Amino acid sequence: MKPDSDKKPGAPTIKDVAERACVGVGTVSRVLNGGNVSARASLRVEQAIRELGYSPNSSARRLRTGRSGTIGFCTRDITNPLFSVMARAIQDRLEEDGFMLLVSNAFDDPVREREMVRRFIDQSVDGLILGPSTEDAGQIVEQATAQGIPVVVLDREAPEPAVRVMSEHIVGMQDATRYLLDLGHRDIALSTISSAHLAGRNRVEGFRRAFAERGMAAPEHRIIQGDFTRDFAQKAARHLLLGPNPPTALICGATPILLGTLPVIHAAELSIPGDLSLVSCDDIDVTQLYRPAITVVRRDIHEIGRIAAQAVVELVDGTDMPEHTSFSISTELVVRNSCAPPETLRGPQGRAN
Amino acid sequence: MKPDSDKKPGAPTIKDVAERACVGVGTVSRVLNGGNVSARASLRVEQAIRELGYSPNSSARRLRTGRSGTIGFCTRDITNPLFSVMARAIQDRLEEDGFMLLVSNAFDDPVREREMVRRFIDQSVDGLILGPSTEDAGQIVEQATAQGIPVVVLDREAPEPAVRVMSEHIVGMQDATRYLLDLGHRDIALSTISSAHLAGRNRVEGFRRAFAERGMAAPEHRIIQGDFTRDFAQKAARHLLLGPNPPTALICGATPILLGTLPVIHAAELSIPGDLSLVSCDDIDVTQLYRPAITVVRRDIHEIGRIAAQAVVELVDGTDMPEHTSFSISTELVVRNSCAPPETLRGPQGRAN
DNA sequence: CTGTTAGCGCATTCAT
DNA sequence: ATGAATGCGCTAACAG
């Protein structure tokens, strides 16, 4: 075999393109990245690129420029519709600017989260989006900022360089509670996530405010907070629903809480809304398709993702600071069929079976 | 500017470590990657690393070695529980070997899929996992293989270098259909995905086989196939259920199909299983929590992800070929309360309202 | 066992 | 406007 058409099997490099186009590598680089190139040279280079099927080696480029074209998204658990929907929205938006998305699950474990972030940084992501967690993002933001990596946090506290995208959980829960109050409920239970989460704190706050608004004190003994597992939710639901004087209404303050609670409701053969009025937070397939359809505090998850993605992109690409350092996502109470006035108000004829 | 004590703010490099440990960079590299190093030198290097807070620059490493430590997962839509659960399983497994996961959504669009894969390759992923799609993976496998990138495909055809993880859709659907047949149903409808998908073809095949088994011909006019959208499912359900002689049982051959069908069932005020027996494919929150709970053909999604991840890792790390080039995932019929004998067999007393 | 050296492919400076 | 040269940080091949 003569060194005939014996090309190197490796992908063509910028040098190959330069040779073929009879120009220097600098010129090729310039047409690629938009420098000053004469029309003639530019044309020749472009043709060479086409003929060779050349594509810039991203590893070399990222070594040279320090930018990778990737963004890391640290979720609690991608299996949660909240995060998978966000992930999709983020990815859709990121695509517009040519970024790719790296994901991970931290399972609400601060140690794991830091480890994941470390690995993201290690992979030299250009930006970071952090899902809610039990911990402040302070340490992580600091760590990332030290490397010049911008971070956007979702529903959690974070020091200044970070951009925050916050949901109006207080108002949302206040609306839900008020709705139940207006229906005549007084003994309303709230099963939600730990106050270690901003969302947990805020939801409890909104719950209390709704009662305060009416000059009443919230039933503190009906507030149960725990971690983000169905397991916790199930225990909480048993405690709440299976006791001697069950509440007339229950608000589930997170999707996993609802999913852990429903089986208990089924097992106890409680009818909704006959025996129990039910409200959940975040609208998912289950809340829409369950019969009766479940009333929820909805927020636009897709928009949250879009905004977060948009923010990182601006932070990464932009030369100047972003307009906003904090975004607020509103909520909306979607009334469906899972709530009714409490039995006591419907007369003593018993359950409407 | 004078080269004062002006330390570079940049992260410490292998050279810094070498100097501090009074060894050559080669030695540092060796302790990092496991070469032959004396205990003494090794100790000193490790200390220097700790003191400097050194972390190898992954961009340089990937340029040098051609390996990135990332795997790309191309899904149809990460929002589908099927894929989010897979993604989580894949990621969990990948983590064990230090890989990170890049995800994307192709929305069943072959053009988009190729574009996503191109970008994955561009990002120099070490391996590729492809979710099911309307197209054979031939072209993509070829493209990836040319770059030495191994690919694992899920529920789709692919030429040899690729590893396939296939679900036993034929048997699964056959079991489901047989179950309905045994219950006494004859007029069974199947709403499933296009035959352009392997899963679509196989599900129809299983459906037919169950009838053939009994010496009957499958009701071909009751088979509707379309794309993976709720929209299609809704139209199909309307066509099937709202006509003059609705079937007595319906099998939904994919999660989006079920989700698009349920609203039609609700609107038509059909009772399950009174008016219609219902079976779905893939067990999700909705099938478990819906009342009545929905009978499903289940497969272990988590295991599919685990196997796929394990396979890529072996392909990437391994020097030798993997043991298997194809895996088969079994299915299981989970009987719940959404099916009953057809009305005709339960006597003429009409609906049990 | 160890230090030195040569690139990996690219963007970028510097002369021209 | 452009070609040549430099080095990003690392690994691997080499010579000791």
Side-chain angles (χ1 to χ4, degrees):
Chain A
M1 300 292 148
K2 296 169 186 175
D4 190 58
S5 59
D6 210 57
K7 279 102 166 84
K8 317 192 166 179
T13 75
I14 199 172
K15 207 175 164 188
D16 299 325
V17 175
E19 278 177 14
R20 202 166 207 310
C22 302
V23 298
V25 293
T27 302
V28 178
S29 179
R30 258 161 260 154
V31 333
L32 250 33
N33 303 298
N36 274 350
V37 184
S38 73
R40 257 185 78 266
S42 178
L43 229 60
R44 297 231 311 275
V45 168
E46 275 162 19
Q47 181 176 347
I49 287 178
R50 234 174 298 114
E51 291 173 357
L52 260 41
Y54 167 78
S55 172
N57 178 312
S58 74
S59 299
R61 180 176 279 177
R62 66 168 28 172
L63 172 59
R64 185 57 229 250
T65 63
R67 292 185 46 177
S68 66
T70 61
I71 300 291
F73 180 32
C74 190
T75 72
R76 189 182 303 122
D77 178 0
I78 190 71
T79 271
N80 184 328
L82 179 64
F83 297 113
S84 60
V85 171
M86 274 186 198
R88 180 171 128 181
I90 289 171
Q91 213 239 30
D92 282 354
R93 180 60 187 79
L94 249 32
E95 230 172 271
E96 289 177 27
D97 287 62
F99 287 92
M100 299 221 71
L101 188 66
L102 281 158
V103 299
S104 75
N105 307 125
F107 300 112
D108 239 339
D109 175 354
V111 176
R112 235 184 103 83
E113 184 180 56
R114 275 197 295 273
E115 168 65 10
M116 294 291 100
V117 168
R118 198 192 57 66
R119 294 174 59 170
F120 276 141
I121 293 179
D122 207 81
Q123 279 289 335
S124 68
V125 293
D126 293 336
L128 223 36
I129 299 176
L130 297 182
S133 170
T134 50
E135 285 209 334
D136 275 8
Q139 195 176 339
I140 291 176
V141 169
E142 198 176 340
Q143 189 184 355
T145 303
Q147 318 264 343
I149 300 174
V151 9
V152 173
V153 302
L154 272 21
D155 264 344
R156 65 194 286 184
E157 301 292 359
E160 243 311 303
V163 166
R164 289 165 302 158
V165 182
M166 315 292 254
S167 302
E168 295 176 351
H169 293 304
I170 298 183
V171 175
M173 185 57 72
Q174 197 171 353
D175 288 346
T177 309
R178 187 188 297 122
Y179 169 68
L180 253 14
L181 248 17
D182 285 348
L183 241 29
H185 293 274
R186 290 299 172 267
D187 192 0
I188 306 172
L190 173 62
S191 178
T192 192
I193 48 186
S194 157
S195 276
H197 280 89
L198 181 61
R201 286 198 295 284
N202 286 350
R203 280 176 175 143
V204 170
E205 172 68 17
F207 184 71
R208 289 186 181 131
R209 281 196 196 173
F211 278 92
E213 224 173 39
R214 296 283 198 274
M216 293 181 261
E220 295 294 331
H221 67 294
R222 292 303 200 190
I223 301 176
I224 302 192
Q225 295 180 264
D227 61 34
F228 245 103
T229 63
R230 297 188 192 190
D231 206 56
F232 152 72
Q234 201 159 88
K235 280 180 189 131
R238 286 209 192 95
H239 175 75
L240 245 18
L241 269 19
L242 268 31
N245 284 309
T248 61
L250 170 63
I251 305 178
C252 293
T255 288
I257 308 268
L258 173 70
L259 301 181
T261 299
L262 280 179
V264 176
I265 291 175
H266 296 157
E269 295 186 357
L270 259 26
S271 102
I272 294 176
D275 302 321
L276 182 75
S277 285
L278 189 65
V279 175
S280 185
C281 293
D282 285 332
D283 201 16
I284 59 171
D285 289 330
V286 172
T287 55
Q288 290 169 216
L289 298 175
Y290 195 80
R291 295 292 100 168
I294 300 171
T295 293
V296 295
V297 177
R298 171 156 65 191
R299 51 183 166 154
D300 190 336
I301 308 298
H302 208 275
E303 197 199 353
I304 293 176
R306 212 184 45 69
I307 288 178
Q310 169 104 26
V312 259
V313 168
E314 279 176 8
L315 251 22
V316 171
D317 278 348
T319 63
D320 37 35
M321 287 296 90
E323 275 187 68
H324 305 284
T325 180
S326 180
F327 295 86
S328 198
I329 305 296
S330 66
T331 60
E332 166 198 16
L333 184 71
V334 180
V335 174
R336 298 209 263 242
N337 308 315
S338 63
C339 299
E343 205 173 320
T344 53
L345 293 189
R346 296 200 306 268
Q349 79 276 25
R351 294 180 186 177
N353 194 24
Chain B
M1 303 306 132
K2 299 162 186 174
D4 193 54
S5 61
D6 212 57
K7 281 119 169 69
K8 321 194 163 178
T13 75
I14 199 173
K15 207 174 164 191
D16 299 324
V17 175
E19 277 176 15
R20 202 168 209 309
C22 302
V23 298
V25 292
T27 303
V28 178
S29 179
R30 258 161 262 154
V31 333
L32 249 34
N33 303 298
N36 275 349
V37 185
S38 72
R40 257 184 77 266
S42 178
L43 230 60
R44 297 229 311 274
V45 168
E46 275 162 19
Q47 182 177 347
I49 288 177
R50 234 174 298 115
E51 291 173 355
L52 261 41
Y54 167 78
S55 171
N57 179 313
S58 75
S59 298
R61 181 177 277 176
R62 66 164 44 177
L63 172 58
R64 187 55 229 248
T65 64
R67 293 185 45 177
S68 65
T70 62
I71 300 292
F73 180 32
C74 190
T75 72
R76 189 181 305 119
D77 177 1
I78 191 70
T79 271
N80 185 328
L82 179 65
F83 297 114
S84 61
V85 171
M86 273 187 197
R88 180 172 127 182
I90 289 172
Q91 214 240 29
D92 283 354
R93 179 62 187 78
L94 249 31
E95 231 173 87
E96 290 177 26
D97 287 63
F99 287 92
M100 299 221 71
L101 188 66
L102 282 158
V103 299
S104 75
N105 308 124
F107 301 111
D108 241 337
D109 176 352
V111 177
R112 237 184 101 85
E113 184 180 55
R114 276 198 294 275
E115 169 64 10
M116 294 291 102
V117 168
R118 198 192 57 66
R119 293 174 58 169
F120 276 142
I121 293 179
D122 207 80
Q123 279 290 335
S124 68
V125 293
D126 294 335
L128 223 36
I129 299 176
L130 296 183
S133 170
T134 50
E135 284 209 334
D136 275 8
Q139 193 176 340
I140 290 175
V141 169
E142 198 176 342
Q143 189 184 354
T145 302
Q147 320 263 343
I149 300 174
V151 9
V152 173
V153 301
L154 273 20
D155 264 343
R156 62 195 287 186
E157 302 292 0
E160 242 311 301
V163 166
R164 289 164 302 159
V165 182
M166 314 293 254
S167 303
E168 295 177 350
H169 293 304
I170 298 182
V171 174
M173 186 55 74
Q174 198 172 351
D175 289 346
T177 310
R178 188 188 298 123
Y179 169 69
L180 254 13
L181 247 17
D182 286 348
L183 240 30
H185 292 275
R186 290 300 172 268
D187 193 0
I188 306 171
L190 172 62
S191 178
T192 192
I193 48 187
S194 158
S195 277
H197 281 89
L198 181 61
R201 286 198 295 284
N202 286 350
R203 281 176 174 143
V204 170
E205 172 67 17
F207 184 72
R208 289 186 181 131
R209 281 197 196 173
F211 278 92
E213 224 174 36
R214 297 282 199 275
M216 293 181 261
E220 297 293 332
H221 67 292
R222 292 303 200 190
I223 301 177
I224 301 192
Q225 295 180 263
D227 60 34
F228 245 103
T229 63
R230 296 188 193 190
D231 207 55
F232 153 72
Q234 199 159 90
K235 280 181 191 133
R238 286 209 191 95
H239 175 75
L240 245 18
L241 269 20
L242 270 29
N245 283 309
T248 62
L250 171 62
I251 305 177
C252 293
T255 288
I257 308 270
L258 174 71
L259 301 181
T261 298
L262 280 178
V264 176
I265 291 176
H266 296 157
E269 295 187 357
L270 259 26
S271 102
I272 293 176
D275 301 323
L276 181 75
S277 286
L278 190 65
V279 175
S280 185
C281 292
D282 287 332
D283 200 16
I284 59 171
D285 289 330
V286 171
T287 56
Q288 291 168 216
L289 298 174
Y290 195 79
R291 297 290 99 169
I294 300 171
T295 292
V296 295
V297 177
R298 172 158 62 192
R299 50 183 166 153
D300 190 336
I301 308 298
H302 208 273
E303 198 199 352
I304 293 177
R306 213 185 44 70
I307 288 178
Q310 169 103 25
V312 257
V313 168
E314 278 175 9
L315 252 22
V316 171
D317 278 347
T319 62
D320 36 36
M321 285 296 91
E323 276 186 67
H324 306 283
T325 179
S326 180
F327 294 85
S328 197
I329 304 296
S330 66
T331 61
E332 166 199 16
L333 184 71
V334 180
V335 174
R336 296 207 266 242
N337 307 314
S338 64
C339 299
E343 204 174 323
T344 53
L345 292 189
R346 295 198 306 266
Q349 80 273 27
R351 294 182 187 174
N353 195 24

